[in-house]
Amino acid sequence: MKTTFLTSVILVLITVILLYGCKSESSAEQDGSADSVDVASSWKLGVAFWTFHAFSLPEALNKIDSAGIDYIEAVTFFKSGAELKDSLIGDLSPAGIEKVKAMLASHRLTVESMYIDGGTTVDSWVRQFEMAKTMGAKFVTTEPPLKMWDELDSLAGVYGMKVAIHEHWKGVSKYWHPDSVLAAIKGHPNFGACADLGHWPKSGVDPLEAVKTLEGHIISVHLKDIAEMNNPKLMDVPAGTGIVDFPAIFAELKRQKFNGPIYIERDAEDKPSNLPSVIKTVEYFNTEVAKLK
């Protein structure tokens, strides 16, 4: 009788544990605490300054504001506006940079990164890193000279910033193929990738396969679409209207647990501006990401 009682107690305890475990798992799925849900919902959608390169900085900031975006990738080669004599941001003095920062603050915009473009000397890159750090950037985006990988990796370490290697298309960039980006990353712990989804197809590279190839190394994404493969002369089209399979890419980024910023970027100059396409891209992005949940 004693044995039967103990057996009954053990069975009751096992049942309670199993029920509690199932309830906890169900709660995790409902409140979104599971990793598979959290990763995509934490992505920061921003815009690359270059999207509004036909305008001065004050004009561009007003347009970015209208799109309801909080994060930006600044660039050094951007006109700073009449107050600063339309000097390029990269040519501004420290006082000028502070004025640019004040403009950004007035629009409540956060500089997540900065696209920089140094010269052939280390000193020219030091100035670029200094500017990016002053602007509050967490990492820099660039296409580093092949002979300066070691120097730029070391500089990135000194400034506590990563280098996201950007890829223009074949014939323009040494990094047009993801394998060349991996070659640069090898042995350089501060290097990673900026996945430009619209530039790869211009070189005949499937952007989904490129994202898979660069798994574990992607720091940021340039959200861009293109009308057809392997045509470097084409300008980009609004996201979701071309050949890039964004739903599949978003799903792959989620699988990889990517957690960096995703920047809307346009090279084309729609008239009167790229603002309408940016607003539509925000809506498209939110709709597709919501499906991942």
Side-chain angles (χ1 to χ4, degrees), residues 73 115 141-144 163-182 184-185 191-203 205-207 210-211 213-214 217-224 265 267:
E73 179 167 79
Y115 195 111
T141 303
T142 191
E143 298 193 9
V163 173
I165 298 176
H166 181 257
E167 317 88 15
H168 278 96
W169 51 94
K170 190 175 183 180
V172 173
S173 172
K174 300 294 185 183
Y175 301 101
W176 66 271
H177 196 281
D179 287 349
S180 58
V181 177
L182 285 179
I185 291 172
F191 281 8
C194 166
D196 195 301
L197 304 178
H199 283 343
W200 276 321
K202 295 177 78 167
S203 303
V205 176
D206 182 338
V211 167
T213 298
L214 292 170
H217 300 294
I218 300 175
I219 296 174
S220 63
V221 172
H222 279 181
L223 191 63
K224 189 186 288 128
E265 186 180 49
D267 289 332

Side-chain angles (χ1 to χ4, degrees), residues 208-236:
L208 176 58
E209 292 305 312
V211 167
K212 290 179 179 179
T213 298
L214 292 170
E215 179 173 357
H217 300 294
I218 300 175
I219 296 174
S220 63
V221 172
H222 279 181
L223 191 63
K224 189 186 288 128
D225 209 344
I226 197 75
E228 65 182 58
M229 291 285 286
N230 208 20
N231 187 344
K233 295 181 179 180
L234 280 184
M235 295 299 285
D236 59 289

